[in-house]
Amino acid sequence: MSVAKTHQTDQRRRLLLKGLAGLGLGVAPISAWANSGLQRVRMSVDGQTTRLVFDMEGPADYKVFALESPDRVVVDLSGTRALASLEVPSNPRSLVEGVRYAERNGNDLRVVLDLRAAADQHSFVLLPAQGSPHRLVLDLTERPRSVMVARMVPETNSVVRPDQMREPLRDLIVAIDPGHGGHDPGAIGAGGTREKDVVLQIARRVAERVEREPGMRPVLIRTGDYFLPLRERISRARAAQADVFLSIHADAIQDRRVQGSSVYILSDRGASSEAARFLAQRENSADLRLGGVPIESKDDSLTSVLLDLAQSGSLEASHSLANRLISEMHRVGKVRKPEVERANFAVLRSPDVPSVLIEAAFISNPSEERKLRTESFQNSLADAILTGLRAYFATHAPPGTIIAEGRRDRHIIRPGETLSVIADRYRMSVAELRAVNDLPSDRIFAGQVLQIPSRGS
Ligand SMILES: [Zn+2]
């Protein structure tokens, strides 16, 4: 397996640079040091699928896209450096022929996988579990020759399911969006707590729970402390084919006595209260002030009508999701208003993804500010959100999903999955998983159905 490193001065390096120039690298400023490290890349092959697992020191934002002639897949990891030379064993059955990598912008890492044939990719992130670190998993499946494909398929943090047709059932995708980030701190409490920090912590706890939930899979829209325009948040959720979108925030108001959490959905005509209107203005304005693209673009009237129609369908679903979440959040702490509130939040404007905005307590209230920082409150809130999601999906899971078919105790093996990846996901040991399923060995195959014992909840 050929591996080139940037500091080598042989022909390989020139090839590498030439290769990268061909990928359209722009000139970018040298930014702060990397904050995550790529420890190694592991590869396994199962039938048509080659799986690469990127073991990461910490979370990192990433992009995956494919290029043709020659066929390549590019993985960009932001704020990441290579901690060791990245090598994968040579395997003639693998779709990956070679791995090259180079630092970009003084801060980011670009990994280029040279392919033997055009491949569809499917990527997702796994949180640390049972001694395994943060992982980015990339499955490459050989693309049937007859299929017409776009010349270039860029995607951002997305889960593409090219094999959906062959997959009998799928997971529900839960997009979790921690508000604000980077130079936009959100609201700041009297004790100095920043909204962007606590909402990221809460979002991660929700993602961990969703990851462990059979039939659900999380997509964390913001994984670190950086700014994302609202439109980008929506497009990441849509690229991931999210079934629901949860934006997580903490509320703030002049009157420090006000407390309690609330759940909002997009208003189709005006805000449900004056307070809701002000809040939406505040949450939306950060984006405009900080260089985001305004969410309203000049759609022609036909497009707008179609969007309106799609949106009213997802509004009903959003309302139902918000209701389930409020009922569960009652158990955790004070809920400011028992009913779902409506306001014109730009981040909720996905025409086809049911979307809610959770204001998890008031950061402007000193006692709630303290609470927001505690692990116990964050955990109970994340538990409540998961329970709310379960209740919502019990009636709203789309056909073709594991949950809609009432198979929450099942896991259908995807191409490239290994027993240890599946065991990780459900917080079990491989031995336990094998015992439950009477598996004589670690050999499994795509499409095989495993029993996942229920853990209660
Ligand atoms: Zn906010």
Side-chain angles (χ1 to χ4, degrees):
M1 185 66 40
S2 76
V3 171
K5 295 188 67 177
T6 46
H7 55 256
Q8 288 173 341
T9 50
D10 60 9
Q11 198 189 11
R12 258 198 201 155
R13 179 176 182 226
R14 286 197 295 279
L15 282 173
L16 171 66
L17 291 175
K18 194 166 157 253
L20 291 180
L23 298 177
L25 276 187
V27 178
I30 300 213
S31 48
W33 50 77
N35 44 32
S36 183
L38 175 56
Q39 295 163 333
R40 60 178 177 152
V41 179
R42 291 178 281 144
M43 186 177 79
S44 56
V45 182
D46 179 21
Q48 305 283 74
T49 301
T50 299
R51 164 164 291 191
L52 292 132
V53 180
F54 294 72
D55 284 332
M56 306 285 297
E57 208 178 37
D61 200 18
Y62 77 97
K63 266 193 248 183
V64 182
F65 57 93
L67 295 171
E68 283 187 347
S69 348
D71 292 309
R72 287 153 290 165
V73 167
V74 180
V75 181
D76 279 339
L77 296 156
S78 64
T80 302
R81 65 199 189 286
L83 297 177
S85 95
L86 305 178
E87 290 174 44
V88 289
S90 179
N91 183 339
R93 292 189 304 127
S94 165
L95 277 168
V96 177
E97 195 165 36
V99 177
R100 298 174 283 144
Y101 59 101
E103 277 172 23
R104 303 174 68 209
N105 312 342
N107 192 27
D108 302 336
L109 186 68
R110 167 163 285 184
V111 181
V112 179
L113 307 168
D114 292 310
L115 304 184
R116 291 198 168 91
D120 289 317
Q121 84 262 9
H122 166 112
S123 64
F124 57 95
V125 181
L126 292 172
L127 295 167
Q130 293 192 337
S132 298
H134 284 268
R135 282 147 294 160
L136 165 62
V137 181
L138 173 64
D139 286 340
L140 302 169
T141 311
E142 189 163 354
R143 189 182 291 155
R145 290 275 163 224
S146 57
V147 176
M148 288 284 290
V149 287
R151 286 199 68 75
M152 184 173 159
V153 190
E155 54 165 298
T156 311
N157 270 19
S158 73
V159 180
V160 178
R161 291 190 295 268
D163 47 350
Q164 207 169 18
M165 300 300 286
R166 277 176 284 130
E167 243 176 299
L169 295 176
R170 67 168 180 90
D171 288 319
L172 290 158
I173 307 290
V174 179
I176 305 155
D177 168 46
H180 312 280
H183 51 289
D184 168 19
I188 300 178
T193 310
R194 297 178 302 185
E195 180 183 353
K196 67 170 183 178
D197 298 326
V198 288
V199 299
L200 179 59
Q201 290 162 2
I202 294 166
R204 285 192 177 135
R205 294 182 196 278
V206 176
E208 283 164 15
R209 283 159 177 76
V210 170
E211 179 69 42
R212 285 201 298 262
E213 185 74 4
M216 293 189 206
R217 209 172 269 265
V219 174
L220 206 49
I221 299 295
R222 173 168 76 83
T223 56
D225 185 14
Y226 47 82
F227 179 72
L228 275 183
L230 299 177
R231 185 182 275 281
E232 173 68 15
R233 294 172 195 254
I234 293 178
S235 62
R236 286 186 180 200
R238 300 193 64 208
Q241 303 183 4
D243 290 287
V244 292
F245 178 86
L246 312 175
S247 192
I248 300 180
H249 290 253
D251 219 335
I253 198 167
Q254 205 86 33
D255 184 347
R256 293 173 61 178
R257 289 166 303 180
V258 177
Q259 51 178 313
S261 44
S262 10
V263 181
Y264 287 83
I265 62 169
L266 181 69
S267 168
D268 41 358
R269 39 185 113 77
S272 57
S273 67
E274 193 65 0
R277 194 168 62 79
F278 275 121
L279 180 64
Q281 263 167 14
R282 184 169 61 76
E283 300 288 16
N284 293 343
S285 72
D287 195 46
L288 298 177
R289 213 168 3 97
L290 297 164
V293 181
I295 207 80
E296 270 118 344
S297 57
K298 296 268 176 285
D299 292 312
D300 62 54
S301 55
L302 177 62
T303 316
S304 317
V305 169
L306 291 176
L307 279 177
D308 280 354
L309 285 176
Q311 210 151 50
S312 49
S314 73
L315 267 182
E316 250 187 319
S318 302
H319 192 264
S320 164
L321 172 61
N323 258 329
R324 306 292 193 187
L325 291 169
I326 289 181
S327 324
E328 292 308 319
M329 284 161 66
H330 258 298
R331 301 171 208 266
V332 178
K334 197 169 149 36
V335 169
R336 195 176 172 215
K337 282 193 184 163
E339 70 273 20
V340 175
E341 297 218 62
R342 292 164 182 259
N344 192 10
F345 290 106
V347 79
L348 299 183
R349 292 211 169 177
S350 274
D352 47 3
V353 183
S355 305
V356 303
L357 188 142
I358 298 169
E359 294 280 358
F362 275 83
I363 207 165
S364 51
N365 175 281
S367 96
E368 290 206 329
E369 180 188 2
R370 278 194 299 276
K371 219 168 67 170
L372 277 165
R373 303 177 71 111
T374 64
E375 209 171 300
S376 64
F377 176 74
Q378 291 182 0
N379 280 333
S380 333
L381 186 65
D383 287 338
I385 291 172
L386 177 68
T387 313
L389 282 169
R390 279 185 192 145
Y392 167 76
F393 283 133
T395 50
H396 284 76
T401 57
I402 290 174
I403 288 181
E405 308 300 321
R407 310 286 286 276
R408 274 186 46 203
D409 56 340
R410 310 287 169 91
H411 177 92
I412 295 157
I413 298 172
R414 294 165 178 247
E417 267 183 345
T418 61
L419 269 188
S420 74
V421 165
I422 299 166
D424 268 10
R425 181 169 170 203
Y426 299 110
R427 300 290 197 274
M428 309 172 68
S429 66
V430 170
E432 205 180 337
L433 189 57
R434 271 180 56 178
V436 170
N437 288 280
D438 279 334
L439 297 175
S441 76
D442 283 356
R443 273 198 61 82
I444 51 174
F445 54 89
Q448 187 178 354
V449 177
L450 295 180
Q451 302 282 333
I452 306 296
S454 141
R455 304 250 125 169
S457 50

